[in-house]
Amino acid sequence: MSSPELASLYQQVILEASKQKHGFGLHPEELPSSHQLNPTCGDEITLQLVTDPAGGTVQKLAWEGAGCSISMASASLLTDLTAGLPVAELPGRIALFRELMQSKGAGVEDDEPLGDAAALEGVSRYIARVKCAMLAWVALEGALLEAKA
């Protein structure tokens, strides 16, 4: 697939994910959560980590937020990526996504563990938009810290 075709496919993935908002809607019960705000643009998200009773596997992420299509797509793609993963794998996936966002368009050696979230690679060329893409991932870091406490 040529580069323009790939860019178009990635753009389509981002637009669809921002519209579908997988995982949107918070649970009424108290769960490990984190609220994050991007003061630069006003995007915000509250994310809850829903695990199995033993806390070893992610059942799903639940979130609510408002913002640009990049931040909403990133939250939706993160939700899809994490369902069923061992909680212990989450910090590594977050670190890999952060590396992707710091790559300035160069990508990472192996983006397969990021699933469809790798479609956000192009965002890394625009430093002002990196915070938008990272918002849900930073919220997940916060929820993981709360879960450990």
Side-chain angles (χ1 to χ4, degrees):
M1 192 177 298
S2 73
S3 188
E5 290 172 333
L6 192 56
S8 177
L9 176 63
Y10 282 175
Q11 184 177 21
Q12 188 175 5
V13 167
I14 293 167
L15 289 174
E16 286 299 314
S18 71
K19 290 177 187 175
Q20 293 176 355
K21 295 185 180 180
H22 295 166
F24 193 84
L26 296 176
H27 286 265
E29 62 268 16
E30 193 159 324
L31 297 165
S33 65
S34 176
H35 179 81
Q36 298 293 319
L37 171 69
N38 181 350
T40 307
C41 64
D43 291 359
E44 65 180 303
I45 189 168
T46 300
L47 183 141
Q48 294 173 317
L49 176 62
V50 184
T51 62
D52 65 339
T57 304
V58 177
Q59 288 183 331
K60 66 179 179 175
L61 300 181
W63 62 276
E64 284 186 358
C68 69
S69 60
I70 292 171
S71 65
M72 298 296 98
S74 188
S76 185
L77 293 167
L78 176 62
T79 299
D80 292 344
L81 175 69
T82 57
L85 282 180
V87 172
E89 286 187 22
L90 296 179
R93 303 284 172 113
I94 294 167
L96 182 59
F97 188 76
R98 182 171 279 119
E99 182 183 341
L100 180 70
M101 289 298 104
Q102 294 171 343
S103 75
K104 297 181 178 156
V108 293
E109 190 172 319
D110 180 15
D111 63 8
E112 188 175 330
L114 296 175
D116 285 346
L120 292 162
E121 176 187 323
V123 172
S124 70
R125 291 183 185 97
Y126 308 98
I127 195 148
R129 304 312 302 258
V130 168
K131 287 183 180 181
C132 301
M134 284 298 305
L135 195 63
W137 299 74
V138 171
L140 178 56
E141 282 180 317
L144 285 169
L145 287 173
E146 186 177 307
K148 288 181 183 180

